[in-house]
Amino acid sequence: MPDDPVLGIDFGTRTSRAAVRRDGGTRLISGWIGEETVESTVSHTDGETIHVGGSPTGVAASFPDRTVGSAKCYLRDVAEDPLEFLRPQAFAATVLRQLKQRAEADLGESVPGAAIAVPCRFGARQRQAVRDAAGIAGFDQCRLVDETTAAAMSHYRGEREDRTVLVVDLGAETLSTAVLDLGGEVYEVRAAGGDLELGGNRWDDAIVEWLAAEVRRERGVDLREIVAAHRSRDAAETAKRALSDDTETTVAVEPPGTDADAGRIERTLTRDHFEWLTDDLADRVLDSVERTLDDAGYDPHDVDEVLLAGGATAMPQIRRAVSRFVGVGPRKATASDGAVVRGAAIAGGIRSGHVADVVTLPVLPRSLGVEVDGGGFETLVARNTTLPTEESKLFTTASDGQTAVDVGVRQGDGGVGAETDRLDHVRLRDITAAASERPRIEVTVRVDADGDVTVDAGDLSSGDRETVSIADGVGLSEDEIAARREKLPDRMERVE
């Protein structure tokens, strides 16, 4: 008998949504007042109330110093903030708790588990931050699924034809790319990549910079000094969306006040000029596609279909660029705005037992290895290795008579330690003293199907062995999660 439902969540930069798999179908969860999305914006005005939702610009106008948007930016960097509620895990937990509460009200039952879609390039630190946020939000279990795999499951569920699919998911802040081999209901990821610094917002920035240059040239004033940043960004996003359908549009900003130099600003922007302004961004999308194909060992002509997901792929520039590069016209994901959440619901259904015929074979997003003498990085498990996996390698001591070794565990794709992210370390204290450069320290890295990493190091001479779970090194402890869950205010209100 299937377990309690596991909530599928698309935790987006601007909006988040949830769905659950049951009775052979996917049910989208209603948010505020029947809406199917919740804005990923949180503001905190006192010690008891958290305001969830509302447009980021509208909330920022009311609570500029206590408002957070762009969820993935914060989880991407996993940086601590002096304000407790602004810490990435706590911020994310607020949105996740809102989705959990709405789901339980909608379904009339408890929803203890979540399957959350994340960017392909999220490493161990970012993925653990998402798990911690889910724990703070009240979920007892959390599985993660790459956004590209979720989009593929949503689109190809029920289709049996073998094919190789390139998935490009360009959201507001992040790009995920992946190559999958599909056969029946097996979704085998051959390679995954992306760019955590590239999303639709970068195209908005290009319009803002162009508009500011126009105003500076014609009026001799700095647009950014007379117009709040969020107003310019709103105007830019509106123009970007319009240019997906029209060949030209008007970019309009209404500055506050009555100063003649700050009157209504309007400029005409053509699609051709917009695409010229953002050619470098489109090239970055193709760079990611090319790297992902190379990692998969495929050429563009090996791709049978291209699947686009994410709101920014509505831009003709992206559809055209990917189509020309691969030689296959892209197919827009069915109900693309909901493709990822529907796929996340399928991933949740696999975990809960509501979906029994789907197999996913994920890959490691970034290489795992250890620090070596001189600041180098020795790879043990290469990126895009199919999970689960286990790899071992022998190392030597650096000095004669050495009796202790600190094995630093890192993740990244560069050959220099400084270019990688230090996750944790294993300390061996009682190794047998011997001459250096004798291979006798064995390091084993294990990664399970959910991406959880454990590292074991042992001295083959003395038998001394130590094991660490990377989650303990990069995440919050159970006590910290429980304490933050307790601190998270129960009172939530919607910001209009």
Side-chain angles (χ1 to χ4, degrees):
M1 183 175 178
D3 296 331
D4 292 330
V6 173
L7 191 64
I9 295 175
D10 176 9
F11 186 28
T13 299
R14 292 184 176 171
T15 62
S16 297
R17 63 182 70 199
V20 67
R21 188 77 181 179
R22 54 170 41 195
D23 301 325
T26 301
R27 176 174 174 177
L28 292 173
I29 301 300
S30 296
W32 295 107
I33 319 177
E35 297 173 359
E36 291 181 350
T37 62
V38 171
E39 290 86 354
S40 302
T41 304
V42 177
S43 59
H44 196 261
T45 57
D46 54 47
E48 298 180 354
T49 306
I50 286 181
H51 300 274
V52 183
S55 71
T57 56
V59 178
S62 301
F63 314 110
D65 298 327
R66 304 195 66 83
T67 298
V68 172
S70 299
K72 289 180 185 173
C73 286
Y74 286 84
L75 287 176
R76 177 191 66 205
D77 300 330
V78 200
E80 291 291 319
D81 190 284
L83 295 175
E84 174 72 21
F85 98 99
L86 287 179
R87 289 178 176 173
Q89 297 93 328
F91 162 71
T94 303
V95 178
L96 295 177
R97 178 181 281 191
Q98 176 60 37
L99 293 171
K100 184 177 189 293
Q101 291 177 344
R102 295 308 308 160
E104 291 175 340
D106 201 7
L107 299 172
E109 61 180 306
S110 174
V111 183
I116 303 176
V118 297
C120 293
R121 287 288 290 172
F122 264 19
R125 187 177 299 278
Q126 292 91 353
R127 290 172 188 261
Q128 189 57 44
V130 175
R131 293 189 182 97
D132 290 346
I136 296 170
F139 290 106
D140 296 328
Q141 53 180 294
C142 174
R143 99 168 276 195
L144 304 181
V145 58
D146 285 350
E147 294 166 336
T148 48
T149 299
M153 288 194 295
S154 171
H155 189 71
Y156 291 103
R157 175 82 169 119
E159 298 188 19
R160 299 291 174 176
E161 180 183 349
D162 292 353
R163 70 195 85 189
T164 296
V165 178
L166 167 69
V167 184
V168 178
D169 184 345
L170 184 61
E173 283 286 351
T174 60
L175 167 70
S176 291
T177 53
V179 177
L180 294 89
D181 281 344
L182 310 185
E185 289 293 353
V186 177
Y187 298 80
E188 180 182 3
V189 182
R190 297 303 302 268
D195 188 335
L196 295 180
E197 304 287 344
L198 182 64
N201 287 349
R202 302 291 81 76
W203 275 259
D204 298 342
D205 292 341
I207 296 178
V208 171
E209 290 301 317
W210 164 79
L211 184 61
E214 288 283 299
V215 173
R216 186 166 53 249
R217 178 176 59 84
E218 295 183 13
R219 298 193 184 185
V221 296
D222 189 338
L223 176 68
R224 287 162 294 192
E225 291 181 358
I226 60 174
V227 179
H230 64 264
R231 290 196 183 189
S232 296
R233 291 188 62 84
D234 276 355
E237 183 185 5
T238 299
K240 178 187 68 179
R241 292 179 180 274
L243 290 174
S244 291
D245 298 317
D246 303 322
T247 57
E248 70 174 46
T249 190
T250 299
V251 186
V253 180
E254 187 77 53
T258 58
D259 189 286
D261 287 334
R264 180 177 174 84
I265 297 170
E266 291 187 357
R267 295 293 183 278
T268 297
L269 179 63
T270 66
R271 182 190 292 174
D272 286 344
H273 191 63
F274 172 54
E275 292 182 354
W276 178 80
L277 291 170
T278 56
D279 265 349
D280 60 322
L281 300 177
D283 287 343
R284 285 174 62 180
V285 174
L286 296 184
D287 287 344
S288 179
V289 168
E290 185 174 19
R291 284 195 303 270
T292 304
L293 285 168
D294 286 344
D295 285 348
Y298 286 172
D299 292 322
H301 62 74
D302 293 319
V303 174
D304 298 311
E305 292 185 10
V306 174
L307 179 64
L308 299 181
T313 58
M315 291 184 287
Q317 176 190 38
I318 300 303
R319 297 200 301 270
R320 186 173 62 252
V322 174
S323 176
R324 287 175 176 173
F325 183 83
V326 180
V328 178
R331 294 174 57 178
K332 190 76 173 179
T334 303
S336 62
D337 285 344
V340 172
V341 72
R342 292 176 185 276
I346 294 172
I350 297 171
R351 178 56 58 92
S352 67
H354 288 80
V355 175
D357 58 346
V358 173
V359 176
T360 60
L361 299 174
V363 296
L364 185 70
R366 301 170 68 200
S367 300
L368 284 166
V370 297
E371 301 168 357
V372 294
D373 193 38
F377 173 69
E378 183 76 17
T379 298
L380 271 76
V381 183
R383 73 176 188 269
N384 290 314
T385 297
T386 301
L387 304 180
T389 189
E390 176 179 323
E391 297 290 342
S392 299
K393 188 174 287 190
L394 289 176
F395 294 87
T396 68
T397 52
S399 306
D400 291 341
Q402 194 169 333
T403 59
V405 172
D406 187 22
V407 181
V409 183
R410 287 186 172 272
Q411 185 168 40
D413 298 320
V416 180
E419 297 176 353
T420 57
D421 184 19
R422 197 174 204 267
L423 302 179
D424 207 337
H425 69 279
V426 185
R427 180 79 171 172
L428 295 176
R429 301 179 182 277
D430 299 310
I431 66 175
T432 303
S436 63
E437 300 185 1
R438 178 183 171 189
R440 57 198 179 88
I441 306 298
E442 182 182 51
V443 179
T444 301
V445 174
R446 301 179 184 86
V447 190
D448 67 17
D450 284 334
D452 289 330
V453 181
T454 58
V455 179
D456 175 277
D459 175 16
L460 298 182
S461 300
S462 69
D464 180 36
R465 302 195 73 84
E466 294 291 338
T467 301
V468 296
S469 168
I470 295 303
D472 296 335
V474 301
L476 303 175
S477 69
E478 291 185 5
D479 288 343
E480 288 174 317
I481 289 174
R484 295 191 183 196
R485 183 188 300 188
E486 186 69 24
K487 285 183 178 180
L488 196 64
D490 289 327
R491 197 174 156 198
M492 297 186 184
E493 296 181 356
R494 186 192 189 204
V495 176
E496 299 292 346

